[in-house]
Amino acid sequence: MIRTTHALQAAGLAGAVALVLTACSSSDDAGAGGSSSGSGSGDGSPLIVGTLLPQTGTLAYLGPPEVAGVNLAVQEINEAGGVLGSDVEVVHADSSDADHAEVATQSVTDLLSQDVQVIIGAASSSVTLNVVDDITGAEVVQISPANTATSLSGYSDYYFRTAPPDTVQGAALGNLITGDGKANVGILVFNDDYGTSLRDVVKSTVEDAGATVVYGNPGEEFDPAASSFATDVTALMATNPDAIVILAFEQTKQIIPELVAAGADLSTVYMVDGNTADYSADFDPGTLEGAQGTIPGAFPSDEFQARLQEVDPNLTDYAYGPESYDATILAALAAVKGGGTDGPTIQANLAAVSGADGGEECSTYADCVELLDAGDDIRYVGQAGIGPFNEDNDPSSAFIGVYQYGADNKNVWVKAVEGAVD
């Protein structure tokens, strides 16, 4: 069953929600997921997954692939017999962004009122920090597919994420910059937990390699709500950087033209998951040619992209779709292993099904459930390519994708680098 809550929704998301198939098996079917071997309460109610993902706001472009990932997982779980004999239900809600904090707050209230046991989201670390206490305090498991702020590592026993903390992406980006031979790095960073956390890791990485951060050090952040960033661009350009890092969200669409006007070489621009987006409709051809960006996660295979497209034919981006899919599969497997769909049971078994205790590798929900029903320990190997959860409920390892812009201002995957989570 698919339900959507909260009045604020992106029009493009409706198709993804509407196209998802509902129940594919009877709740009387004791097939996949019908038995368990882990610790749990034995709660027999259906698993209800809530999503807290951006349908509006500056990160709305991340919403469709994330929602599609959840919907695809729910569809495949139900086709395989559901969880403990019942179909999984999903309730979609809008997280918006940190500038509209009231949206996520209301959405969480709505989700908790509908008895969700797991919430997938939020995409923004700042949004999560606004609502994580409400979610985890209710003993509801929160699994973010996209949070990267280092401050969230080990935040709560009930908070997990399938995206790596900024220590991994920041190090990958810093190594990319210095590997390109850059020595004087200027950083345009907004004053946001996401931005400053990434900045700190990039700064440490490039300085360890012998480069210098000439602008964007602590105290040189910009206001994300400012109407213009011309002053910040002027200050940056005055330091003569040979690499320009932009750590921002939607503000990037204003920053790029200001860099062009200031005479910056945009082929030396580096971005991250918050702004490595398709700008083909925003800038003149060639504007971003040669610029690079990083996005956590292994690049989705053609086969997985096709499966996501079946759920949402309008998808043009796949960022965090794999992480959202894996988060949903892991939650369902934890419920199966623990023999209950309540939050405490799922929390107690999430690390185990991720492979934290070892176990036989499996890559589909149906195969993993078959092993669990046989009493085996498992390690779910999903689409995002992450390692088992560590003691902070972070993935123990993860891939970071490196992308480069062509003359059409679209980013193309170049390679992936794997990093361990400290």
Side-chain angles (χ1 to χ4, degrees):
M1 178 185 294
I2 310 296
R3 289 177 277 161
T4 304
T5 186
H6 210 283
L8 295 174
Q9 298 176 44
L13 192 63
V17 174
L19 285 169
V20 174
L21 299 179
T22 56
C24 294
S25 63
S26 168
S27 59
D28 296 328
D29 182 5
S35 63
S36 62
S37 57
S39 60
S41 70
D43 185 340
S45 58
L47 176 62
I48 305 174
V49 176
T51 71
L52 185 68
L53 298 168
Q55 301 172 20
T56 61
T58 58
L59 291 181
Y61 74 95
L62 290 176
E66 292 173 332
V67 171
V70 173
N71 284 343
L72 177 61
V74 169
Q75 174 179 296
E76 293 180 356
I77 291 166
N78 289 344
E79 287 173 347
V83 170
L84 302 175
S86 296
D87 284 338
V88 176
E89 302 176 11
V90 60
V91 186
H92 292 298
D94 185 18
S95 66
S96 193
D97 56 30
D99 292 333
H100 302 89
E102 73 284 355
V103 175
T105 299
Q106 182 59 54
S107 289
V108 168
T109 298
D110 292 345
L111 290 171
L112 294 179
S113 74
Q114 297 186 65
D115 297 323
V116 301
Q117 301 103 332
V118 178
I119 291 178
I120 309 298
S124 163
S125 296
S126 294
V127 170
T128 285
L129 286 165
N130 284 334
V131 297
V132 62
D133 290 338
D134 294 333
I135 297 170
T136 60
E139 294 190 332
V140 169
V141 174
Q142 179 177 2
I143 313 175
S144 172
N147 287 169
T148 59
T150 55
S151 59
L152 285 165
S153 293
Y155 187 91
S156 165
D157 288 345
Y158 281 81
Y159 173 82
F160 296 76
R161 53 182 164 189
T162 50
D166 288 329
T167 50
V168 181
Q169 181 178 199
L173 181 60
N175 289 329
L176 177 65
I177 293 167
T178 56
D180 288 344
K182 308 302 183 183
N184 297 299
V185 182
I187 305 175
L188 289 168
V189 53
F190 61 172
N191 192 10
D192 174 276
D193 289 317
Y194 166 82
T196 55
S197 176
L198 261 175
R199 184 272 316 278
D200 291 345
V201 180
V202 172
K203 174 179 167 65
S204 174
T205 303
V206 300
E207 289 178 343
D208 286 347
T212 302
V213 174
V214 295
Y215 184 81
N217 290 294
E220 294 177 323
E221 303 85 5
F222 65 80
D223 179 0
S227 59
S228 171
F229 309 103
T231 300
D232 305 284
V233 168
T234 298
L236 168 89
M237 294 300 292
T239 64
N240 297 313
D242 59 5
I244 299 171
V245 181
I246 305 174
L247 304 178
F249 293 150
E250 191 79 3
Q251 302 88 351
T252 305
K253 292 182 180 179
Q254 293 174 261
I255 291 170
I256 294 296
E258 290 169 348
L259 285 170
V260 171
D265 177 1
L266 268 63
S267 70
T268 67
V269 163
Y270 297 82
M271 294 184 282
V272 285
D273 57 310
N275 56 357
T276 300
D278 180 348
Y279 294 107
S280 57
D282 302 296
F283 307 131
D284 293 335
T287 298
L288 286 173
E289 188 170 8
Q292 298 179 78
T294 55
I295 299 176
F299 190 71
S301 67
D302 290 343
E303 185 270 341
F304 187 65
Q305 289 184 42
R307 285 157 60 192
L308 289 173
Q309 284 278 352
E310 289 179 2
V311 170
D312 182 1
N314 296 315
L315 279 184
T316 58
D317 191 358
Y318 300 93
Y320 297 116
E323 287 79 6
S324 301
Y325 173 89
D326 286 350
T328 309
I329 297 289
L330 283 164
L333 290 173
V336 172
K337 180 174 177 61
T341 57
D342 56 290
T345 296
I346 294 169
Q347 184 277 331
N349 290 279
L350 260 174
V353 296
S354 77
D357 301 327
E360 186 170 345
E361 291 188 0
C362 51
S363 59
T364 70
Y365 175 75
D367 288 347
C368 290
V369 167
E370 184 176 353
L371 291 170
L372 289 174
D373 285 347
D376 296 329
D377 290 329
I378 64 168
R379 176 186 174 184
Y380 170 66
V381 179
Q383 296 293 327
I386 61 172
F389 290 123
N390 63 19
E391 62 184 9
D392 289 329
N393 295 341
D394 290 335
S396 54
S397 64
F399 286 95
I400 304 295
V402 177
Y403 297 74
Q404 188 165 36
Y405 282 87
D408 58 359
N409 298 320
K410 294 182 179 181
N411 61 84
V412 177
W413 182 84
V414 176
K415 62 181 178 180
V417 294
E418 187 175 15
V421 178
D422 295 330

